């Protein structure tokens, strides 16, 4: 037993009440107090084989920072976190916490609130640290795209002393993370993370689009010794049904970016979001907050259990006056000059497919019409490869981003690498892997051995503080 009671019950994460939180974009989840954080951390078993660490795509030493938080050593917990996670302030709000799914306490009750404890470590500990680059190298590297993959690669390369220039087509950095609504991440987190990059030889050039203003090959010709293409999936996907381009149909990604950047958006009184992933859930919750008097519905072709959106997100959404329609697949958008409704085919669950996921099949002759004046289309995004040479041999990842098909994300063009990821932390893991293979490539060119990641806080900095008896993470990539 802990001081709080049962080891098997989580110290509840404080949450805004639905009636209050759906009228504006205030943050839904609130911080633990110091005491709550310590009590929650004390539930951790400090497993000898920490499945939590193994499950984290960047093998964040969460067991370590939890142990420090349990002892009230918040400064050290913050430092340990930031040593291997340069976007920790962002991730402590939005990571899909793969670690918690693997936590042994999940099988015995409720997993440790690992992500929320990261937030406590950074909020109560000294997180205003600055990264220190190694001795400068001459080989300049270009990164295309300032999303999590590009930023992580830049961090890895700058730590090793490479000068890096990031070319970004948008005004803001962050990539798709910049579309995450403010009720989940109020907007300054990424900038807080980037403040720690200030000692680096890092230049970020915005409003420069690869394929239009330059190409990876032209950057090599300009003198960059390697190029990392991290452009993600920024083009809206459509289901390919009649009427999908009528006025009143809005692509979800564009809608969410516009809202976050304070650009005006027009919504009607009857809003339907088509899709079932996290982007659909963010769209429906954003629409609810922008139009308190409107009816807001979400329609997805599978069931709630098969929805790719996280359980936590759906659970938070349910009390927010949203109509969920499961097992509906869109077949036609109604209207002449603008949207008047959308027709769906009713679906039913069939046997699991090869991946073990249950397939859906249409119910013959069963159609449902939802009247609406606005449709937010959230059926996935894809990469925009306009202007990229086919010679790169880019492959498309499972959520639409391009990546190099050779080991270490190398493309078919020497010196050009490409990768992305299905979540912020997966994109960061890909950025690390690409940076490591860029370092190997450039080191070989320069006739030296590739370097492991140097100490992010400078050589000679004190070793990471760890709780007594702690052995360090067991798994490493
Ligand atoms: C609404 C929404 C909510 C999400 N919520 C979460 C969440 O809560 N947790 C989570 O872990 N993940 C979430 N994700 C997913 C996560 O944001 C992405 O997986 C991650 O950002 C992918 O990173 P990336 O660097 O591979 O690509 P991106 O983030 O897409 O970054 C690519 C960057 O490249 C730029 N770019 C594109 N083309 C060009 C070009 N031709 N020239 C120059 N620059 C270019 C883009 O503008 C962008 O800045 C969410 C995504 C969305 C859309
Ligand atoms: S980065 Fe995400 S998966 Fe990794 S430890 Fe933190 S919350 Fe867990
Ligand atoms: S698996 Fe869970 S209980 Fe074990 S060390 Fe990780 S967080 Fe703690």
């Amino acid at each position: 037993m802990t001081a709080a009671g049962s080891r098997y019950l989580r110290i509840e994460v404080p949450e805004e009440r639905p009636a209050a939180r759906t009228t504006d974009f205030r943050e839904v989840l609130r911080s633990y107090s110091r005491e709550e954080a310590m009590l929650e951390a004390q539930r951790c078993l400090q497993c000898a084989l920490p499945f939590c660490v193994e499950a984290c795509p960047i093998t964040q030493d969460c067991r370590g920072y939890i142990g420090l938080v349990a002892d009230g050593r918040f400064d050290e917990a913050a430092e340990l976190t930031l040593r291997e996670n340069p976007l920790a302030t962002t991730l402590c709000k939005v990571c899909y916490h793969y670690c918690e799914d693997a936590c042994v306490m999940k099988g015995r009750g409720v997993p440790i609130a690992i992500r929320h404890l990261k937030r406590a470590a950074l909020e109560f500990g000294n997180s205003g640290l600055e990264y220190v680059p190694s001795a400068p190298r001459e080989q300049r590297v270009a990164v295309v795209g300032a999303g999590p993959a590009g930023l992580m690669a830049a961090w890895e390369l700058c730590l090793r002393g490479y000068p890096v220039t990031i070319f970004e087509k948008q005004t803001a950095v962050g990539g798709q993370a910049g579309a995450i609504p403010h009720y989940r991440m109020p907007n300054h987190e990424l900038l807080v993370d980037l403040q720690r990059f200030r000692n680096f030889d890092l230049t970020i050039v915005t409003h420069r689009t690869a394929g239009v203003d330059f190409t990876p090959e032209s950057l090599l010709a300009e003198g960059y010794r390697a190029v990392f293409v991290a452009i993600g999936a920024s083009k809206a996907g459509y289901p390919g049904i009649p009427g999908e381009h009528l006025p009143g149909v809005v692509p979800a990604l564009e809608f969410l970016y516009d809202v976050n950047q304070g650009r005006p958006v027009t919504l009607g009184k009857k809003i339907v979001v088509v899709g079932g992933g996290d982007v659909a859930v963010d769209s429906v919750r954003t629409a609810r907050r922008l139009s308190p008097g409107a009816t807001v519905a979400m329609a997805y072709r599978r069931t709630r259990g098969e929805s790719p959106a996280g359980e936590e997100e759906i659970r938070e959404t349910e009390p927010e006056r949203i109509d969920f329609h499961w097992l509906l697949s869109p077949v036609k958008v109604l209207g002449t000059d603008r949207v008047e409704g959308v027709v769906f085919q009713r679906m039913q669950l069939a046997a699991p497919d090869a991946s073990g996921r249950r397939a859906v099949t249409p119910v013959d002759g069963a159609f449902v019409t939802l009247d609406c004046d606005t449709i937010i289309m959230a059926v996935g995004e894809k990469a925009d490869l306009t202007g990229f040479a086919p010679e790169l041999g880019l492959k498309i990842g499972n959520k639409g981003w391009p990546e190099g098909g050779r080991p270490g994300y190398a493309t078919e063009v020497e010196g050009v690498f490409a990768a992305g990821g299905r979540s912020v932390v997966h994109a960061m893991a890909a950025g690390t892997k690409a940076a490591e293979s860029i370092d190997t490539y450039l080191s070989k060119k320069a006739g030296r051995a590739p370097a492991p990641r140097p100490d992010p806080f400078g050589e000679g900095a004190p070793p990471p503080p760890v709780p007594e008896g702690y052995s360090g993470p067991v798994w490493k990539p």
Side-chain angles (χ1 to χ4, degrees):
M1 300 281 275
T2 67
S6 168
R7 186 183 273 281
Y8 304 110
L9 293 179
R10 179 178 280 191
I11 302 291
E12 213 172 309
V13 175
E15 205 174 298
E16 281 287 347
R17 284 179 305 108
R21 74 188 187 217
T22 49
T23 54
D24 57 28
F25 281 79
R26 75 184 70 177
E27 212 176 341
V28 171
L29 299 183
R30 287 189 264 112
S31 313
Y32 277 143
S33 65
R34 279 173 182 270
E35 293 70 28
E36 286 169 333
M38 287 171 66
L39 286 172
E40 175 62 12
Q42 285 163 14
R43 292 205 305 125
C44 170
L45 303 175
Q46 290 289 303
C47 304
L49 291 179
F51 293 120
C52 51
V53 178
E54 186 196 25
C56 172
I58 56 167
T59 56
Q60 165 93 79
D61 183 5
C62 42
R63 178 183 63 172
Y65 72 66
I66 293 169
L68 290 162
V69 169
D71 287 351
R73 295 159 65 188
F74 288 96
D75 282 347
E76 293 148 288
E79 188 193 330
L80 191 67
T81 303
L82 294 169
R83 273 184 181 274
E84 48 200 1
N85 187 345
L87 303 184
T89 308
T90 301
L91 281 176
C92 78
K93 300 283 178 81
V94 304
C95 186
Y96 295 136
H97 48 65
Y98 305 97
C99 49
E100 293 180 25
D101 291 336
C103 171
V104 292
M105 290 299 282
K106 187 173 179 178
R108 304 179 188 193
V110 189
I112 308 301
I114 303 175
R115 184 188 75 191
H116 218 58
L117 289 175
K118 195 192 310 292
R119 175 170 171 174
L122 297 173
E123 285 182 354
F124 299 124
N126 173 19
S127 55
L129 305 171
E130 290 178 14
Y131 295 118
V132 180
S134 308
R137 297 199 189 288
E138 287 191 349
Q139 297 149 301
R140 181 166 277 280
V141 180
V143 172
V144 184
L151 293 172
M152 185 69 172
W155 180 73
E156 294 277 8
L157 291 163
C158 287
L159 279 180
R160 289 168 171 82
Y162 294 102
V164 174
T165 304
I166 302 182
F167 297 95
E168 165 58 51
K169 75 172 178 182
Q170 304 269 12
T171 314
V173 298
Q176 287 191 3
I180 296 176
H182 291 179
Y183 59 81
R184 292 207 286 126
M185 183 169 75
N187 205 18
H188 58 274
E189 286 77 357
L190 196 74
L191 297 179
V192 170
D193 283 326
L194 291 183
Q195 281 296 312
R196 299 187 201 100
F197 286 41
R198 68 169 82 97
N199 297 324
F200 289 156
D201 186 350
L202 173 64
T203 310
I204 302 181
V205 186
T206 55
H207 300 289
R208 293 265 283 145
T209 304
V212 177
D213 302 315
F214 62 91
T215 62
E217 294 84 345
S218 74
L219 292 175
L220 291 176
E222 269 178 48
Y224 291 95
R225 299 305 173 91
V227 179
F228 176 43
V229 176
I231 60 171
S234 58
K235 199 163 141 184
Y238 285 88
I241 57 174
E244 65 185 17
H245 294 297
L246 274 174
V249 181
V250 190
L253 196 53
E254 190 180 305
F255 165 66
L256 293 169
Y257 272 130
D258 284 350
V259 173
N260 273 7
Q261 285 168 21
R263 289 194 283 262
V265 293
T266 311
L267 295 175
K269 292 282 172 214
K270 290 180 181 174
I271 304 160
V272 173
V273 174
V274 175
D278 292 296
V279 177
V281 173
D282 280 339
S283 300
V284 85
R285 298 181 78 187
T286 298
R288 161 53 62 236
R289 284 158 173 75
L290 290 175
S291 304
T295 62
V296 184
M298 184 176 124
Y300 179 52
R301 61 196 295 271
R302 295 172 184 263
T303 61
R304 177 189 160 141
E306 266 82 32
S307 157
E311 172 56 31
E312 179 181 289
E313 274 256 88
I314 297 187
R315 182 190 57 74
E316 277 177 24
T317 308
E318 277 172 336
E320 295 187 354
R321 293 188 294 120
I322 310 289
D323 300 327
F324 286 96
H325 300 274
W326 305 111
L327 290 168
L328 292 186
S329 180
V331 290
K332 185 179 180 184
V333 174
L334 301 175
T336 42
D337 298 334
R338 65 168 291 120
V339 169
E340 289 169 12
V342 52
V343 181
F344 293 91
Q345 166 88 60
R346 190 168 286 291
M347 310 298 282
Q348 60 193 348
L349 280 179
D353 60 19
S355 69
R357 195 178 186 209
R358 290 191 73 179
V360 284
T361 54
V363 179
D364 279 347
F367 294 94
V368 174
T369 300
L370 296 182
D371 289 339
C372 60
D373 49 20
T374 309
I375 296 174
I376 302 176
M377 212 52 101
V379 294
E381 292 77 37
K382 49 189 177 178
D384 184 354
L385 292 180
T386 313
F388 283 84
E391 288 71 28
L392 289 163
L394 292 171
K395 297 191 178 339
I396 300 300
N398 70 354
K399 284 228 175 161
W401 65 84
E403 62 187 33
R406 297 171 75 87
Y409 296 126
T411 69
E412 299 296 331
V413 171
E414 188 187 326
V416 181
F417 301 75
R422 65 185 158 97
S423 70
V424 173
V425 72
H426 279 99
M428 289 167 67
T432 287
K433 198 168 161 193
E436 285 170 351
S437 67
I438 289 171
D439 179 50
T440 303
Y441 167 74
L442 293 178
S443 299
K444 197 170 165 198
K445 289 250 163 209
R448 56 169 191 263
R453 179 193 294 162
D455 188 323
F457 296 117
E459 297 305 335
V466 290
E468 209 177 322
Y470 177 72
S471 59
V474 173
W475 281 280
K476 275 285 157 198

